[in-house]
Amino acid sequence: MDFQIYKKMLGDWASSQQPVFIMGPERSGTSLLFQQVSNHPEFCDFSHATVETFCFVKPWLLLEPAGPENYEMRVYLGQKNFNAFQEKIHPLIERNRKLSAEGMHLQYLNSPERETIWYERRYKHLLRAFFFNSWQNLGKKRLVEKTPAHIRCAEEILSAFPNAKLLICTRDPAEIIASHKKRFKKEVELGKKPGDQSIAWLNHSTADYLEYFSAIDNKISALAARHSNKLIVVPYGQLTSEPEQNLKKVFDFIGVDNIGATASADEKTEQAWDPLLNQAPQKNHVDFSEQLSPQDIELIDAHRPSLKNSWI
């Protein structure tokens, strides 16, 4: 197929879809919400695993040979389909190769030339192609994708998929930080070195985490001001304490029938990889004192009122 025709087809398809993107700070309940949505019979099935593609954060990995860094993208796309996918986007691979040779950066998120890189590298068309082929691989059911870091590129998501729905998870800052510290300790106990870069995201200072939460909070406010009908905030505390009520809000927002949090196995897919996800969301009580010092808790308590969106 001529690539210009293919690109137009992708644009028409993207405009007809209502994919759901789940995002927010790490350890805020994104996996729980992802599985609750993907349990719904109208959505693609991920009962075998949870997948974080990072495709909007690192779209160029779709242009590279199969390897560890694009593994989860290939899970979403279908491992057997990757070569065929790259054949379809060969003009984009060649274009990006030339732009790299000319010195253009691959990373657009933190660049002062963000819009130029996004446009010139045709990342929008690349990501539409990725999701179109994933949609085919997943049975042409409605798409749901979960990557916490995609909160940083929500505007690009909405430019690629104008009818997308964003579910933004939040959670009490103390619970998130305590969860990070607990996970970091577990990874070290399992054999990873404390300085291992693969777990560096779990080992920041409390002040750094709070600065990050403020940046996300500001991002949520800015998105809500521009796209109020495209997103809702889903606080972890509310989801786990009143799952029926809050999942109804989620399902109503994304436009599907409410199957509730305790639907029977006939009404939703059973999760093989984590049986706990077959149950209604459970309230998770965190003892901050086990992971956080009194100084940490005092700092968090002082910072919490500055967050404008619901983080409870």
Side-chain angles (χ1 to χ4, degrees):
M1 181 185 294
D2 177 88
F3 188 73
Q4 294 304 315
I5 296 175
Y6 185 58
K7 189 169 69 173
K8 183 181 185 306
M9 181 277 293
L10 291 174
D12 292 342
W13 173 81
S15 296
S16 72
Q17 299 297 302
Q18 284 190 312
V20 172
F21 292 91
I22 298 172
M23 59 191 69
E26 294 81 356
R27 315 300 293 172
S28 65
T30 56
S31 292
L32 173 63
L33 187 57
F34 172 75
Q35 289 298 345
Q36 294 299 318
V37 174
S38 66
N39 281 350
H40 196 287
E42 289 195 24
F43 282 87
C44 57
D45 172 24
F46 278 98
S47 57
H48 59 290
T50 186
V51 178
E52 294 182 6
T53 68
F54 288 88
C55 61
F56 277 88
V57 176
K58 300 179 179 179
W60 60 86
L61 294 178
L62 292 167
L63 306 167
E64 297 180 358
E69 287 198 320
N70 58 21
Y71 171 76
E72 292 196 72
M73 294 180 183
R74 290 183 284 114
V75 170
Y76 203 81
L77 181 66
Q79 301 284 4
K80 67 183 183 299
N81 303 323
F82 191 62
N83 289 339
F85 164 72
Q86 289 201 324
E87 288 177 10
K88 292 175 184 177
I89 62 166
H90 183 72
L92 291 180
I93 294 175
E94 288 301 308
R95 179 185 181 88
N96 276 271
R97 186 174 294 142
K98 290 177 182 177
L99 289 171
S100 292
E102 293 168 3
M104 179 174 281
H105 292 159
L106 291 167
Q107 171 67 263
Y108 72 95
L109 279 179
N110 298 318
S111 172
E113 299 180 349
R114 178 170 180 156
E115 293 184 7
T116 299
I117 296 172
W118 171 261
Y119 174 76
E120 291 295 339
R121 287 192 175 275
R122 303 297 195 264
Y123 283 154
K124 178 172 72 174
H125 306 306
L126 171 63
L127 289 159
R128 284 175 172 174
F130 168 66
F131 280 100
F132 175 74
N133 285 272
S134 298
W135 172 72
Q136 292 183 311
N137 174 56
L138 296 165
K140 298 185 178 181
K141 300 181 78 174
R142 191 168 171 188
L143 291 168
V144 55
E145 194 276 346
K146 185 274 284 195
T147 300
H150 279 168
I151 185 66
R152 300 166 58 203
C153 32
E155 293 286 1
E156 284 80 11
I157 289 174
L158 292 173
S159 75
F161 294 94
N163 296 312
K165 297 289 188 178
L166 310 183
L167 302 179
I168 303 177
C169 295
T170 56
R171 188 178 182 181
D172 183 88
E175 292 191 7
I176 297 178
I177 298 171
S179 181
H180 276 74
K181 290 181 179 293
K182 184 177 180 180
R183 171 77 179 275
F184 179 79
K185 182 179 179 182
K186 181 178 180 181
E187 293 287 348
V188 171
E189 289 173 349
L190 290 172
K192 289 191 176 180
K193 302 286 187 183
D196 190 321
Q197 284 303 301
S198 69
I199 58 173
W201 64 281
L202 292 165
N203 192 31
H204 295 291
S205 70
T206 295
D208 284 344
Y209 280 121
L210 294 176
E211 182 179 355
Y212 174 55
F213 299 156
S214 289
I216 291 179
D217 191 60
N218 290 335
K219 181 71 174 179
I220 295 171
S221 295
L223 285 168
R226 295 187 62 182
H227 309 285
S228 60
N229 63 329
K230 301 291 180 65
L231 66 94
I232 59 169
V233 174
V234 185
Y236 179 84
Q238 295 179 25
L239 178 63
T240 56
S241 62
E242 297 180 303
E244 293 292 344
Q245 176 182 335
N246 285 282
L247 280 175
K248 182 180 185 305
K249 290 180 183 177
V250 169
F251 290 138
D252 287 347
F253 173 71
I254 61 181
V256 295
D257 291 338
N258 177 33
I259 62 170
T262 56
S264 70
D266 293 336
E267 296 173 285
K268 66 181 185 180
T269 305
E270 288 287 303
Q271 303 302 310
W273 71 281
D274 187 348
L276 289 176
L277 294 171
N278 295 319
Q279 306 173 12
Q282 303 293 309
K283 184 67 177 176
N284 183 16
H285 296 284
V286 178
D287 184 355
F288 303 147
S289 63
E290 291 185 3
Q291 308 296 334
L292 304 176
S293 70
Q295 293 78 16
D296 287 330
I297 295 173
E298 183 178 353
L299 190 61
I300 294 166
D301 287 344
H303 187 85
R304 193 181 285 108
S306 70
L307 299 174
K308 297 180 287 295
N309 296 284
S310 179
W311 286 70
I312 57 172

